[in-house]
Structures are given as C-alpha cells and as structure tokens.
Amino acid sequence: MNIILFGPPGAGKGTQAEKMISHYNLPHLSTGNIFRENIKNKTELGKKVTLILDAGKLVPDETVVELVTDELKKEKYKSGVIFDGFPRTVKQAEELDTYLQANGENIDTFITLNVPEQELIDRILSRGQGRSDDTPEKIKTRLQVYRDETEPVLNHYKNKDVVKEIDGVGTIEEIFERITSALS
Ligand code: ADP
C-alpha cells in the first residue's frame, strides 16, 4: 500500500505518520527528515540543501526525485510506503507516478490534512523543535511556497480519484481515527 500524507507545514503530517507506521506496519519516507539528517551529518547532499531549507524554499525537483527513487530501492519499502513531505510539486508527482508505474505500482490513497492557516502558524511556533525554518518570517515563506507550488499536487491526485480529505483540527487521536476510517 502506497500512501501520500499531504498538507501544509504544521498540518501534523509527521505526527500522524508516526502513528500510521505502527498501525499499518509501513515504513515512513519523509524527505524533510532525510534532508535534516544529511545537514546534521554534513554530507554532500546536506551541504547542497542547507541554505534552501533555512530559507524555507524548495529543494530542486531533480535532487528530490533522485533521492526518493534511490531510497525506494531499499528492501524495507517492498510492501509499500507512507510519503510525507513528498511530492511537493506537480513535477515531483509526475515523476513519482512514472517511477511507480514502471514498477507495476501506484498511489493507493492520498490523505490531505485540512488546517486553517492561523492554527498552522500557532502550531509551528509552539512546537519548539528548534528548527531554523520555524521563525515567523520563514513560516510565511513556507506557506507561500505551499500555496504556489505544492497545493496544485492536490488537484493532480484529485484527477486520479485517490484523495481523502481529512479535518486536521482536533486531538492527535481524533485525527488518527479519521485517517484510519478513511483508509478502511
Ligand atoms: P514542513 O512540512 O514542516 O515544511 P518538511 O520536513 O516536510 O517540513 O520540509 C522541510 C523543508 O525541507 C522544506 O521547507 C524544503 O526546504 C525541504 N523539502 C522537504 N521535502 C521537499 C520536497 N519534496 N521538495 C522540495 N523540498 C523539500
């Protein structure tokens, strides 16, 4: 089963992904986590993307797609995956679809978490993870990038009839319950 967890920054994708991993026994692929790990370890990729993440802009599609398609070759993804933070542009979505099709697979469900903008900002500012992109100015940039470049990915998958819209406001458990009902 291949699932995309979609939504703006602060929507709770990472939190819900953690719960889904154990519930569905699926691995999690978060491009943001992979980038942050590479930055921490000062790898070549890390050096390449540091300033981009810091600014709240998007890593170039080519770099992201290469990273994801390499990652997907690992044995642990053989029964499926929960994508989080990817695809983030229509180009990335098209490349992912092509890759999956070539392997006789597809996206089974696209879960989008709906949360009002002010709540997103409040959540990011209060989560206190110490991320360098969690400042008010950078959150503004990330939300703008989301609206301009990422939101069109939703329509891309609406055309494929796999989208489940989830109300992302409530307790973590309530939202998880909505996700599991939508997937059942
Ligand atoms: P959030 O959803 O809170 O913005 P993520 O961890 O998903 O956090 O992403 C953090 C940053 O990593 C993004 O602002 C962007 O710079 C980079 N990034 C993550 N995934 C992608 C992607 N698929 N394409 C381009 N850039 C990405």
Side-chain angles (χ1 to χ4, degrees):
M1 183 159 63
N2 297 312
I3 300 171
I4 292 174
L5 248 183
F6 187 81
K13 301 183 295 287
T15 306
Q16 296 300 330
E18 286 308 322
K19 296 182 70 68
M20 291 167 72
I21 294 166
S22 44
H23 192 266
Y24 295 104
N25 199 18
L26 279 174
H28 177 207
L29 199 169
S30 157
T31 42
N33 286 353
I34 295 175
F35 289 135
R36 281 186 292 275
E37 194 62 22
N38 276 273
I39 291 172
K40 200 174 89 196
N41 296 327
K42 299 193 166 60
T43 65
E44 277 311 308
L45 175 65
K47 286 178 204 159
K48 194 158 141 189
V49 304
T50 300
L51 292 177
I52 301 174
L53 264 84
D54 209 45
K57 302 272 174 62
L58 292 185
V59 173
D61 289 336
E62 211 186 85
T63 307
V64 182
V65 169
E66 192 186 314
L67 170 82
V68 171
T69 50
D70 271 1
E71 179 71 16
L72 285 175
K73 294 191 178 101
K74 293 183 181 166
E75 179 70 14
K76 68 169 172 176
Y77 299 107
K78 71 175 194 309
S79 320
V81 56
I82 301 166
F83 292 106
D84 160 9
F86 174 89
R88 230 177 177 96
T89 63
V90 171
K91 176 81 183 155
Q92 290 178 20
E94 288 168 353
E95 299 263 1
L96 174 64
D97 294 344
T98 304
Y99 177 88
L100 291 175
Q101 267 160 33
N103 290 284
E105 289 183 52
N106 56 5
I107 293 297
D108 299 288
T109 310
F110 181 102
I111 293 167
T112 178
L113 295 171
N114 293 326
V115 178
E117 186 151 322
Q118 191 54 50
E119 172 137 358
L120 297 171
I121 298 169
D122 294 344
R123 283 186 190 178
I124 298 172
L125 288 176
S126 65
R127 72 185 172 191
Q129 288 179 338
R131 272 172 55 173
S132 64
D133 58 350
D134 279 354
T135 64
E137 198 50 40
K138 286 167 187 173
I139 295 168
K140 227 174 100 189
T141 305
R142 283 155 63 201
L143 288 171
Q144 190 63 46
V145 168
Y146 175 78
R147 283 189 292 264
D148 294 345
E149 300 186 58
T150 306
E151 219 160 40
V153 173
L154 176 60
N155 279 327
H156 174 87
Y157 285 102
K158 271 188 179 163
N159 293 332
K160 296 181 186 288
D161 243 14
V162 290
V163 173
K164 304 274 187 203
E165 299 219 29
I166 304 287
D167 174 6
V169 179
T171 65
I172 292 173
E173 285 304 330
E174 280 164 355
I175 298 161
F176 184 60
E177 170 66 33
R178 290 174 200 146
I179 292 175
T180 52
S181 322
L183 280 169
S184 70

